[in-house]
Structures are given as structure tokens and as C-alpha cells.
Amino acid sequence: MAGNEKKIIIVLAITSIIAIIGAQIYRTATAFHYEDHLDEVVISVDGNDLTLREFGYYIYTTEEFVQKQALLYDPEDPLHWWNTHFSAGLDSQFISELAMKTAINTYLSHIIYYNEAQRAGMALNTSQEETAFKEATELYSKMSDFNRERTGLNEVLIYSVIRRRDLGAKYAEYLALNMDFSGFDDEPGALLAGDGDYFQNVILPQHTVVKNEKLIKHLKIGRITVNNR
């Protein structure tokens, strides 16, 4: 082999190595580390900010629910279910996409109903407060150390979220008894849920919602508190 050819091969080899190392450095530098973003705002509703740390409750409970389905569908590879795509016209989506929408819409309904409940002077009674606290304690106790650290959740924060959910539920019950749902097919409970037609088409448009899409696109639901080992 001629000397020039050897030099060319060496140069190409060195260039390839540099390119590979550069790509690895870039991936490392741009990798998304969930725990580093816990105090960033994910969603703002009428000026009420929700951090990723608080949103961790919705991620954890949504993943827990869907993971049970995933394990029934394919015990050896639950991600098979998370990555399943359903074709339904404009509503076609992956299970993971549906799960994220569910988590977000659930929060939206909770915070909107909670704020309306406060404006209406509603409050939880002592028994309801105690029930919320007990649920928060039980949920936190069953979380693994990994998921506690991963989500940044603690008993106090979980209790706050559950309390907000329960007070919001009281307002939703009030709406179910007093609103006119003519023109809608489902029963009031389903219509008023976060993904319900009445909530999505009548209630939600009355509020200002700002989503941190840049952050949300990095949230790989189905791999945050489950399927991450």
C-alpha cells in the first residue's frame, strides 16, 4: 500500500473517531435529566403555575394505572402496550400519547374546579381532610425510593394535590346537579371529567392555559416511574 493511501486511511480513521466522540459528547450534553427540571413550570392555568414536581403526582398515578393494563397485555414487555397505536381517524394516537393527555386534562379539571370551589366558599370537612391525608400517606408509603426521588414528591405535596382534587370534586358534583347538559350524550360525571366533552368544549375555553411544550415533549410517560430500569 502506497504511503499516501496509508495517510488517507489514517486521517479518515481519526476523523471518524473524532466524529463518534463528538456525537457522544453532544448526546451527553443535551440529554434530558428529569430530576433537574422538577421546579420548572409545566402548565399555567389562569396564572396558577404547576411545577413538574407537583405534576409528578399525575404522572405517577397515570403510569401506575396504565402499567397494570400493560402487564396484562404483555407481561414480558409492557412497553409493547405503551407503544401500541390505535387508529380512529383524527383521534388516532399511541397509548403513551393518550396517557399524557389524560394526565394533563385531569390536572386541568382539578385546578379549575378547585378554584371555582374556593370562589363559591366551598371547603372540605374534617372527615374529608382526614381521608385525603390518609390517602396521601398510603400513596407515599407504597412509592419506591427511586420514584420518590424521581418525582420529588413527599407526603405534604401529595396531600396538597389530593386535597385540591377532592375540593374540586365537590364543585364538579355541584355542576352535575345544576348545569344543563342538553346536546351532550354522556352522563354528567363523564362530561365533567378532564377529557369529557362538556369540560373540553364549554368549561376549558373560558380559562387561560399555557403549556410548557418544550418541557412536555421531553416527558416520556411510560418510562418515568415505570419501565425505567
Side-chain angles (χ1 to χ4, degrees):
M1 182 180 293
N4 286 338
E5 292 179 344
K6 289 183 178 180
K7 290 180 180 179
I8 292 174
I9 292 174
I10 292 173
V11 169
L12 290 175
I14 292 174
T15 302
S16 297
I17 292 172
I18 292 174
I20 292 171
I21 293 174
Q24 291 176 334
I25 292 174
Y26 176 78
R27 283 196 295 270
T28 300
T30 58
F32 179 81
H33 299 288
Y34 185 95
E35 296 87 339
D36 294 339
H37 301 268
L38 292 177
D39 295 313
E40 290 185 23
V41 174
V42 181
I43 307 170
S44 179
V45 181
D46 299 329
N48 296 279
D49 293 339
L50 177 78
T51 64
L52 181 58
R53 187 185 303 274
E54 295 172 281
F55 191 54
Y57 167 84
Y58 295 93
I59 289 175
Y60 178 81
T61 53
T62 299
E63 286 193 326
E64 181 183 43
F65 178 79
V66 178
Q67 184 72 353
K68 290 177 181 178
Q69 300 173 336
L71 290 170
L72 289 174
Y73 184 76
D74 190 340
E76 295 184 0
D77 183 15
L79 282 172
H80 187 188
W81 175 250
W82 285 95
N83 294 326
T84 297
H85 185 269
F86 287 96
S87 296
L90 295 176
D91 292 327
S92 297
Q93 56 194 323
F94 290 96
I95 290 295
S96 56
E97 293 174 329
L98 176 60
M100 179 57 77
K101 289 179 182 177
T102 297
I104 291 174
N105 286 330
T106 299
Y107 166 71
L108 292 177
S109 65
H110 286 179
I111 188 62
I112 288 173
Y113 293 150
Y114 171 75
N115 287 337
E116 292 298 333
Q118 285 193 310
R119 276 191 279 271
M122 295 180 177
L124 298 178
N125 59 38
T126 301
S127 176
Q128 291 168 331
E129 293 274 10
E130 291 174 349
T131 299
F133 183 77
K134 181 180 179 182
E135 182 181 343
T137 301
E138 291 177 349
L139 189 151
Y140 184 74
S141 66
K142 74 177 183 179
M143 292 179 71
S144 66
D145 290 339
F146 174 85
N147 283 334
R148 290 175 182 177
E149 183 176 355
R150 178 78 154 165
T151 61
L153 289 170
N154 55 48
E155 288 180 89
V156 174
L157 191 54
I158 294 172
Y159 168 65
S160 176
V161 174
I162 291 175
R163 184 178 178 280
R164 180 173 60 205
R165 178 202 69 190
D166 291 352
L167 182 54
K170 293 187 72 169
Y171 186 77
E173 290 172 3
Y174 165 80
L175 292 180
L177 295 173
N178 292 278
M179 298 303 293
D180 180 9
F181 298 103
S182 299
F184 293 91
D185 296 329
D186 287 331
E187 51 89 21
L191 291 171
L192 291 167
D195 58 355
D197 286 344
Y198 191 85
F199 177 78
Q200 286 290 320
N201 296 301
V202 178
I203 296 176
L204 189 57
Q206 300 176 38
H207 300 270
T208 301
V209 177
V210 179
K211 299 177 184 176
N212 185 345
E213 298 290 358
K214 183 178 179 180
L215 177 57
I216 291 174
K217 76 175 183 179
H218 286 294
L219 304 181
K220 306 302 181 184
I221 197 162
R223 289 179 175 270
I224 298 173
T225 65
V226 296
N227 305 315
N228 46 35
R229 301 300 178 91

